[in-house]
Structure formats: structure tokens, C-alpha cells
């Protein structure tokens, strides 16, 4: 029998070496760190050009800007929402410094955080279309950067991260909501920022878990501080303080943190991973996400709390330190009225649709329409802003999710599950 001798493979030992606990639980993100920032920044710059180009056009109040632009302007002047005179929109468009205020405070159906963000732009640029659209455009642009970075972290690919951000940059619905002074873009921004904080915490805490297990420990595993979750709690509190729909993300992200913590401890070989998660991490996670979120939520009401005259506020104590305690029962009653308003809202709307209609884009929303004369060279011209997602992206995403779910369920391919649930790490 002929025998062939091969030179020894000096890299065999290095390649066959099992990964260390840190490499297993928190593997480094491959690729050039410089491109990991430069690529997302270039995509973000592209998104910013789309969002800020001719931002003041149309020079008009678009859709629900009629509520939020004036409410934001009132927050700057009074600290709470104020009633306005009739035809205030036209008055404000003609003269941004005009006195548009009527009598008394205005009852509002949404918390003030998103309107405070709109007010930042009005504080810098005045009560103009560019002023009240500046912060939505900035939030929509920064959301692209956050998505690029978090997708890169989750997939381990700068190319995929930039692709995810690029899709958000060119999506029709994200584009429209980033160029109008509505609240939805801020909910999206703060939810995405909160998720990014949780993903960063997951990777950091898994590295800490591996390091501390190397020194031994109990059957429950070590205690981990999870500092990034405090930032996530602030972000989720801001989302809820923009619209109450943020509460659903608090619940969903709370469950995700429990699953991630349990998965990390089980993958690390902790003997009692579930007990360790529930005893050592879940109570702190509740405090960091829920309690920090509640404090953040209340802080956005500071104008109503500390300044007298807001709807249902009444007179304020002469002692500023006592005002928060005095205001909380009245703020509770205010929220009861807000809840009654939302639960009792049964009026039909031309653009009414149900959540299961949204992914298929069944009912777009007309934000603005007019027929300018002599601007297009034709006898009749039309100009419209339509709030609708890009069908190729939305419908393609639905097909991709179904395919990934089928592959995961039928073939048990973990890579398909990772695509559905967005987890690259072990566990």
C-alpha cells in the first residue's frame, strides 16, 4: 500500500482549540472597526440629505401638525398645552410670532415628550414649518444610524448592518413621518434606541458572565449589574411619554431580557440558570426598565407639575418642593380622563385601519394635498404627501419572515430562527 506523508499542519492546534467561555458567549464582531462606523455614517448622511432637503416645503400645516406644532409652541411659552384662536394655523403660517392663544388650558390625549422634542426645533428656528419639522427629521436620521449599528452587532456584518439602515432610509413611511411634526417618529426612535441599549447590554453582560464564571461561583451564577438597561429604561420611558403605545414595548422587551439572561446562564453552564435569572437579574431588570421608565415619564410632565394653569392642574403651591406631591393626585385624574377619551373614541375616520392591516399597507394616509396653479406647465397640477410604506420592502419582508419561520420549524435550522428573532449569540 502506498503511503503519502503530509507536512504537519501547524495551525491545526489553533483551529481545533475549543473556544473560551468569553469567545463562546460574547464573540467579537468581525470586520474592520473603522468601517463599522464609517459605513453606517455614510448611510446616515444619505438619510439626512433625504430628510432635510426642502424640509420647509410645503409651507403649510400638514395633517396632525395642526395639533402638535401648536402644542409644542405652547409648551415653550406656558409649560403646558394651551387653547388657540380660530384659524390659528393660517395666522401662524403668515406670522410665526403672532399671538395665537385663546382662553385657558387645552386637554390633550397624548403625553408631552414628543411635543417637547418638537419644541426644541421651534426654540431654535421659530414656529415655522422648518422649525417644527427639524426634530422629527433629526430623529428619523439618527434612527438610521442606530439601526445600522445594532444590525451590525446582531449579525456580525457591517454590510448587513448598512443594508438594514439603507432600507429604513428609503422606506416611504419612515421618510414621510420623518418630515412631518407628528409623534410617531419619536415613538419609533425611542423604541429603537431602547432596543439598541438592550442589545449592547446583552453582549457586555455575557462577557462579564464569562469572566466571573472563570473565577468560580454559586450554582445560580454571578450577579451582573446591567448598566445599559438604565439607558434602555430612559428610552422606553420617553417612548411611553410620547404615546402610550410604548407600554407594549416595555412588556415585550422585559420578556426578552428574561429570555436572554436565562439563555446566557444556560449556555455558560450554570447549574440553575432559571433560578439564577429570576433571583439575581429579573428584579433589577424590572427596576431598570419599569421604575426608571416611570420616573422618566413623570419627568416629561415637569411643565404641568411645576407651573400653574395646566388643564386640571389648578393653583400651585408657593413651595416648589411640594409641587410634585401636590400635583400627582391631579395628574392621576388627568390620566384617567385621557384613558376614558381613548377607550370612548368610536368616531369613524376616513383613514381608520386595524393593526393587522398595517403590514400589508391596506390603507395609506393622505397627509397633504393641494392643486397649485402654474407650477407644472399643465392646466391642472396636483401635489400630495402620502403616508405609505414602500411595498417592495414591506411585502418582501413579510415573505422573508414566513420563509425563515418555515425553515426554522421544518428543518430546525438555527440560522433561520436567528433571522426571525434577531439573536446572534449563544443561548
Amino acid at each position: 500500500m502506498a503511503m503519502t506523508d503530509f507536512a504537519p499542519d501547524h495551525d491545526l492546534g489553533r483551529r481545533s482549540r475549543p473556544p473560551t467561555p468569553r469567545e463562546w458567549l460574547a464573540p467579537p464582531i468581525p470586520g474592520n472597526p473603522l468601517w463599522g462606523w464609517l459605513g453606517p455614517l455614510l448611510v446616515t448622511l444619505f438619510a439626512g440629505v433625504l430628510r432635510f432637503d426642502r424640509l420647509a416645503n410645503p409651507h403649510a400645516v400638514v395633517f396632525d401638525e395642526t395639533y402638535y406644532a401648536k402644542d409644542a409652541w405652547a409648551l415653550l411659552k406656558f409649560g403646558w398645552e394651551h387653547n388657540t384662536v380660530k384659524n390659528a394655523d393660517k395666522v401662524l403660517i403668515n406670522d410665526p410670532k403672532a399671538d395665537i392663544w385663546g382662553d385657558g388650558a387645552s386637554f390633550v390625549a397624548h403625553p408631552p415628550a414628543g411635543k417637547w422634542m418638537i419644541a426644541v426645533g421651534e426654540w431654535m428656528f421659530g414656529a415655522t414649518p422648518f422649525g417644527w419639522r427639524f426634530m422629527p427629521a433629526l430623529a428619523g436620521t439618527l434612527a438610521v444610524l442606530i439601526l445600522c449599528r445594532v444590525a451590525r452587532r446582531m449579525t456580525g456584518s457591517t454590510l448587513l448592518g448598512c443594508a438594514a439602515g439603507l432600507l429604513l432610509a428609503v422606506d416611504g413611511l419612515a421618510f414621510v413621518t420623518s418630515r412631518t411634526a407628528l409623534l410617531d417618529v419619536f415613538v419609533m426612535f425611542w423604541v429603537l434606541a431602547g432596543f439598541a441599549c438592550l442589545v449592547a447590554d446583552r453582549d457586555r453582560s455575557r462577557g462579564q458572565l464569562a469572566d466571573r464564571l472563570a473565577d468560580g461561583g454559586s450554582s445560580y451564577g454571578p450577579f451582573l449589574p446591567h448598566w445599559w438597561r438604565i439607558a434602555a429604561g430612559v428610552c422606553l420611558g420617553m417612548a411611553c411619554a410620547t404615546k402610550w403605545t410604548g407600554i407594549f414595548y416595555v412588556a415585550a422587551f422585559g420578556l426578552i431580557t428574561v429570555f436572554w439572561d436565562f439563555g446566557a446562564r444556560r449556555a455558560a453552564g450554570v447549574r440553575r440558570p432559571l433560578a439564577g435569572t429570576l433571583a439575581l437579574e429579573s428584579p433589577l431588570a424590572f427596576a431598570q426598565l419599569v421604575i426608571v421608565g416611570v420616573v422618566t415619564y413623570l419627568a416629561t410632565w415637569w411643565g404641568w407639575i411645576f407651573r400653574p394653569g395646566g388643564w386640571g392642574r389648578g393653583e400651585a403651591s408657593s413651595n416648589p418642593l411640594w409641587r410634585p406631591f401636590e400635583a400627582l393626585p391631579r395628574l392621576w385624574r388627568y390620566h384617567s380622563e385621557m384613558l376614558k377619551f381613548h377607550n370612548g373614541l368610536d368616531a369613524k375616520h376616513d383613514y381608520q385601519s386595524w393593526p393587522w392591516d398595517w403590514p400589508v399597507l391596506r390603507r395609506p394616509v393622505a397627509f397633504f394635498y393641494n392643486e397649485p396653479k402654474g407650477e407644472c406647465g399643465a392646466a391642472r397640477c396636483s401635489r400630495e404627501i402620502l403616508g405609505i410604506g414602500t411595498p417592495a420592502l414591506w411585502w418582501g419582508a413579510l415573505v422573508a419572515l414566513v420563509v425563515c419561520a418555515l425553515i426554522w420549524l421544518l428543518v430546525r435550522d438555527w440560522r433561520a430562527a436567528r433571522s426571525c428573532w434577531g439573536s446572534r449569540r449563544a443561548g
Side-chain angles (χ1 to χ4, degrees):
M1 178 183 292
M3 299 286 292
T4 304
D5 293 331
F6 292 93
D9 189 345
H10 298 289
D11 293 333
L12 183 60
R14 180 177 61 83
R15 290 201 305 267
S16 62
R17 176 182 63 82
T20 64
R22 171 174 272 276
E23 291 172 342
W24 170 249
L25 287 172
I29 300 175
N32 190 321
L34 176 61
W35 275 107
W37 276 106
L38 186 58
L41 286 174
L42 290 174
V43 175
T44 303
L45 178 61
F46 172 70
V49 171
L50 293 180
R51 281 151 177 76
F52 282 96
D53 180 47
R54 295 178 296 172
L55 184 61
N57 186 29
H59 189 72
V61 176
V62 173
F63 196 44
D64 281 352
E65 287 183 344
T66 185
Y67 304 113
Y68 307 127
K70 292 180 292 187
D71 284 347
W73 194 234
L75 289 176
L76 283 178
K77 184 174 179 64
F78 304 100
W80 33 264
E81 295 84 352
H82 201 287
N83 285 322
T84 57
V85 299
K86 187 178 181 180
N87 296 324
D89 291 348
K90 294 182 179 179
V91 173
L92 201 59
I93 287 295
N94 292 328
D95 181 8
K97 297 182 179 180
D99 184 2
I100 62 170
W101 309 116
D103 296 328
S106 173
F107 173 81
V108 294
H110 296 296
K115 290 168 281 189
W116 275 118
M117 294 187 70
I118 295 172
V120 172
E122 293 180 330
W123 172 70
M124 292 189 293
F125 302 105
T128 64
F130 183 86
W132 60 63
R133 294 171 192 159
F134 175 81
M135 287 302 293
L138 181 61
T141 302
L142 293 178
V144 172
L145 176 61
I146 295 173
L147 183 58
C148 286
R149 291 289 298 176
V150 74
R152 175 183 181 271
R153 179 180 288 273
M154 294 173 66
T155 63
S157 169
T158 300
L159 178 61
L160 291 178
C162 291
L166 183 62
L167 294 179
L168 179 62
V170 299
D171 175 62
L173 187 59
F175 175 75
V176 169
T177 54
S178 296
R179 289 175 58 91
T180 47
L182 274 63
L183 303 181
D184 306 85
V185 67
F186 299 121
V187 178
M188 180 273 292
F189 172 81
W190 288 116
V191 168
L192 180 59
F195 180 72
C197 291
L198 291 178
V199 173
D201 174 79
R202 180 193 64 174
D203 292 352
R204 184 178 181 85
S205 62
R206 288 188 172 192
Q208 293 176 336
L209 176 63
D211 293 340
R212 296 188 183 186
L213 285 176
D215 300 329
S218 70
S219 60
Y220 298 97
F223 169 81
L224 301 173
H226 294 286
W227 298 115
W228 270 103
R229 287 182 185 171
I230 297 177
V234 173
C235 293
L236 294 176
M238 289 294 293
C240 295
T242 302
K243 275 190 173 182
W244 284 356
T245 49
I247 296 174
F248 298 107
Y249 294 94
V250 176
F253 290 172
L255 293 175
I256 286 176
T257 59
V258 174
F259 293 146
W260 281 351
D261 292 342
F262 168 71
R265 289 175 182 263
R266 184 181 62 176
V270 173
R271 292 191 296 276
R272 303 182 65 182
L274 181 59
T277 298
L278 297 179
L280 299 177
E281 298 195 283
S282 296
L284 180 61
F286 179 85
Q288 291 168 322
L289 296 181
V290 177
I291 296 180
V292 170
V294 169
V295 172
T296 302
Y297 179 91
L298 292 175
T300 64
W301 286 85
W302 71 269
W304 188 92
I305 291 173
F306 286 97
R307 294 185 179 182
W311 192 93
R313 177 65 175 92
E315 296 296 326
S317 171
S318 58
N319 183 358
L321 297 178
W322 179 248
R323 290 179 186 176
F325 303 98
E326 170 194 65
L328 285 179
R330 302 174 187 176
L331 187 60
W332 179 265
R333 290 194 293 270
Y334 196 156
H335 280 64
S336 298
E337 294 300 321
M338 292 168 64
L339 183 62
K340 290 179 182 178
F341 172 83
H342 288 295
N343 288 337
L345 188 62
D346 56 3
K348 300 297 181 181
H349 194 282
D350 291 339
Y351 300 108
Q352 180 175 321
S353 63
W354 298 102
W356 47 85
D357 293 329
W358 302 341
V360 297
L361 308 177
R362 191 184 69 86
R363 189 67 177 94
V365 178
F367 279 47
F368 176 82
Y369 179 84
N370 73 343
E371 297 183 358
K373 297 181 179 179
E375 291 190 9
C376 64
R380 183 176 179 181
C381 305
S382 295
R383 184 170 59 169
E384 183 177 23
I385 299 175
L386 189 65
I388 183 173
T390 303
L393 301 183
W394 286 63
W395 296 344
L398 290 176
V399 173
L401 286 174
V402 171
V403 170
C404 286
L406 289 175
I407 294 175
W408 175 41
L409 294 173
L410 299 178
V411 187
R412 291 298 179 182
D413 189 329
W414 61 271
R415 292 168 296 184
R418 181 181 68 186
S419 300
C420 289
W421 300 102
S423 177
R424 180 173 67 94
R425 305 301 188 210

